[in-house]
Amino acid sequence: INDEIYNIALKNLKNFFYVGKFEKFSESFNEMCSALKIENKERPFINTSLHENLLNADDKVLIEGYNMYDVKLYNNFFETIKD
């Protein structure tokens, strides 16, 4: 991946009808239901973990390095839609 492909991905992502955050699943689901004007039903919490963060700092840096453009795309996209 390079900057050209990244910019294409960002442009395409901005054309999506709705993009939610997995880490804010309930909030995103509610927003999507509202945007689609559909009934919002309760979702059960399944397969939840009591652990906040299973990664140590070194592992996080390594993973972010291998997924640099994914992290950049995620951060830039959600920053732009905040406005």
Side-chain angles (χ1 to χ4, degrees):
I1 295 185
N2 57 33
D3 285 335
E4 180 182 0
I5 292 171
Y6 164 80
N7 287 322
I8 291 169
L10 184 59
K11 180 182 174 189
N12 289 338
L13 191 56
K14 289 179 180 179
N15 288 323
F16 282 28
F17 174 75
Y18 183 81
V19 177
K21 287 185 173 183
F22 189 76
E23 61 271 22
K24 294 185 177 183
F25 181 78
S26 291
E27 182 181 329
S28 292
F29 185 81
N30 293 340
E31 289 174 358
M32 183 182 66
C33 288
S34 179
L36 293 172
K37 296 178 174 53
I38 59 174
E39 183 181 351
N40 179 0
K41 297 196 176 200
E42 288 288 319
R43 291 144 324 280
F45 287 98
I46 318 173
N47 196 22
T48 59
S49 173
L50 299 175
H51 304 287
E52 284 289 317
N53 190 353
L54 299 176
L55 295 176
N56 64 41
D58 291 336
D59 289 342
K60 186 175 179 183
V61 168
L62 183 65
I63 290 168
E64 288 175 349
Y66 281 114
N67 298 284
M68 178 181 68
Y69 281 101
D70 292 326
V71 172
K72 182 178 176 181
L73 184 65
Y74 177 91
N75 291 334
N76 286 348
F77 176 75
F78 283 108
E79 278 298 315
T80 59
I81 65 167
K82 246 195 249 183
D83 301 333

